[in-house]
């Protein structure tokens, strides 16, 4: 499902216009992004939790060669699904 399909589905279920629904979804996603930038968690009870996790610097070997490259430390986003979401997908 693409973003436009998602917006249309939410608009239909909520009774809001597509324009209003898009604005709400854009603000919600921006808020989640800003919160993760501050290294804080975002959780939705039953749905799941987003968290910013630090990946340490590491050394990898390039496949097919013996060349080793250092990958710098960075932050990544992890999503852990909640119980209700897991059950719904099963």
């Amino acid at each position: 499902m693409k973003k436009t399909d998602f917006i249309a589905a939410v608009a239909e279920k909520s009774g809001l216009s597509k324009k209003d629904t898009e604005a709400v979804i854009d603000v919600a996603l921006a808020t989640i992004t800003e919160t993760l930038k501050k290294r804080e968690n975002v959780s939705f009870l039953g749905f799941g939790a987003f968290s910013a996790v630090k990946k340490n610097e590491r050394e990898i070997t390039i496949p097919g060669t013996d060349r080793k490259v250092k990958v710098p430390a960075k932050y990544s986003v992890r999503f852990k699904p909640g119980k209700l979401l897991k059950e719904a997908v099963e």
Side-chain angles (χ1 to χ4, degrees), residues 33-83:
T33 302
E34 289 170 13
T35 304
L36 291 170
K37 276 183 165 178
K38 293 187 252 178
R39 312 294 184 243
E40 297 174 8
N41 297 337
V42 178
S43 61
F44 300 98
L45 188 61
F47 181 75
F50 297 91
S51 58
V53 293
K54 185 175 182 179
K55 293 188 173 189
N56 295 324
E57 182 180 287
R58 63 192 194 280
E59 194 172 89
I60 62 168
T61 303
I62 304 294
T65 69
D66 291 333
R67 195 169 131 222
K68 296 192 180 215
V69 178
K70 281 192 178 182
V71 177
K74 66 177 182 177
Y75 279 90
S76 184
V77 176
R78 179 175 291 152
F79 176 74
K80 183 178 179 188
K83 183 179 178 183

